[in-house]
Amino acid sequence: MLVGIIGGTGFFEPAADAEGRRETVQTPHGPVQVQVGKLGEADIAFLCRHGPAADIPPHAINYQANIEALALLGCRNVIATNAVGSLLEDLPPGSLATPAQFIDFTRSRPHTLFDRSCDKIVHVDMTEPYCPRLRELLVSEAGRLGMPCRDGLTYVCTEGPRFETPAEIRMFAALGGHLVGMTGVPEVVFACEAGLCYASVCVVTNFAAGISRQRLTVDEVHQVMDKMRPRLWELLAATVNAIAADPAWQE
Ligand code: HPA
């Protein structure tokens, strides 16, 4: 069974040791380049969220096509990586977290996969937008590898591409947000609409604006991601191999 991996910032290359072939998948919302291959014993379909050339900004990503491509390839489980700012003083740069909830502050993105006239109106349930079973597996594999991954947090998605003001971050914190990023939504929504079991591993690259006294730069985001990438691949490999090895995931 193919497991989908959506690589975010800093994951512009497929896994160094993942063998595979590049494919262009034609979807109702456009073509997507995917690498289909092996990560250890597991079959994976990997795509770069920001495109193969890493040049698509968060508000211009074709989230619909990306999710449709993985669904069309037959993926039922999808793990995404996301760089985030932390609103929590005890969750410093270099930490991992897997959100359980999101708050949507995007404003110019498609809202649904069902945006064409279709024979039914769809209202997808969002009680548990991130698959609890996949989150649990990620947390347990991360623990086994000695890299704690905090579960149960709330991800706030902004439109970007600018960073937030400290006032916005104070508002997000007051609303119950713990992590802030620009790419988690609508990807998770479309994954739910496509019936996929989807979870995100968030890498904290910085304290959010105003929590950190320093100005935020994209360089610091990339520096932390570059440092974390090898270990994150270990976690992804362990998780997809646990899925591949367990008959309960094949049902
Ligand atoms: N804000 C929004 N997106 C981000 C951040 C941030 O602080 N860090 C990494 N992605």
Side-chain angles (χ1 to χ4, degrees):
M1 181 207 279
L2 267 186
V3 181
I5 298 179
I6 300 178
T9 300
F11 277 73
F12 303 131
E13 284 293 313
D17 58 346
E19 308 155 17
R21 57 175 202 279
R22 282 174 202 276
E23 260 186 44
T24 302
V25 183
Q26 303 296 339
T27 80
H29 289 93
V32 180
Q33 278 194 40
V34 181
Q35 165 138 343
V36 180
K38 287 260 181 208
L39 186 56
E41 296 303 310
D43 294 310
I44 61 158
F46 175 88
L47 67 83
C48 297
R49 183 185 290 120
H50 295 273
D55 58 355
I56 307 174
H59 56 282
I61 290 166
N62 192 342
Y63 296 97
Q64 292 163 312
N66 285 352
I67 289 295
E68 284 170 339
L70 295 178
L72 282 169
L73 285 169
C75 297
R76 280 192 274 148
N77 303 293
V78 174
I79 307 169
T81 74
N82 296 82
V84 293
S86 170
L87 278 63
L88 300 173
E89 291 196 2
D90 66 346
L91 199 70
S95 308
L96 298 182
T98 179
Q101 293 289 316
F102 69 80
I103 301 176
D104 182 6
F105 273 94
T106 66
R107 36 181 104 150
S108 72
R109 304 179 184 189
H111 297 105
T112 177
L113 289 183
F114 304 104
D115 57 352
R116 317 239 158 134
S117 58
C118 42
D119 51 6
K120 57 182 174 163
I121 297 174
V122 178
H123 300 286
V124 75
D125 176 55
M126 282 287 132
T127 308
E128 289 187 308
Y130 301 92
C131 177
R133 188 177 178 211
L134 190 49
R135 280 166 34 214
E136 196 182 319
L137 182 64
L138 279 166
V139 169
S140 85
E141 290 300 317
R144 210 172 51 75
L145 293 168
M147 40 178 143
C149 179
R150 180 102 64 101
D151 194 12
L153 300 186
T154 296
Y155 175 106
V156 179
C157 195
T158 64
E159 182 63 19
R162 66 169 177 83
F163 286 120
E164 302 71 38
T165 63
E168 287 171 326
I169 293 297
R170 284 195 296 276
M171 175 183 72
F172 296 156
L175 293 176
H178 305 115
L179 309 167
V180 62
M182 302 176 194
T183 54
V185 182
E187 189 173 276
V188 57
V189 175
F190 299 158
C192 291
E193 287 185 334
L196 304 177
C197 167
Y198 171 99
S200 152
V201 191
C202 291
V203 179
V204 175
T205 53
N206 55 278
F207 281 118
I211 299 203
S212 153
R213 290 187 193 287
Q214 283 139 27
R215 295 168 73 89
L216 295 183
T217 66
V218 180
D219 285 350
E220 86 188 88
V221 170
H222 283 285
Q223 272 164 22
V224 175
M225 283 310 300
D226 286 347
K227 212 165 121 204
M228 297 291 291
R229 190 166 40 236
R231 296 237 64 204
L232 202 47
W233 270 119
E234 271 183 65
L235 173 57
L236 293 171
T239 307
V240 297
N241 279 279
I243 291 173
D246 183 350
W249 282 90
Q250 321 306 318
E251 285 156 15

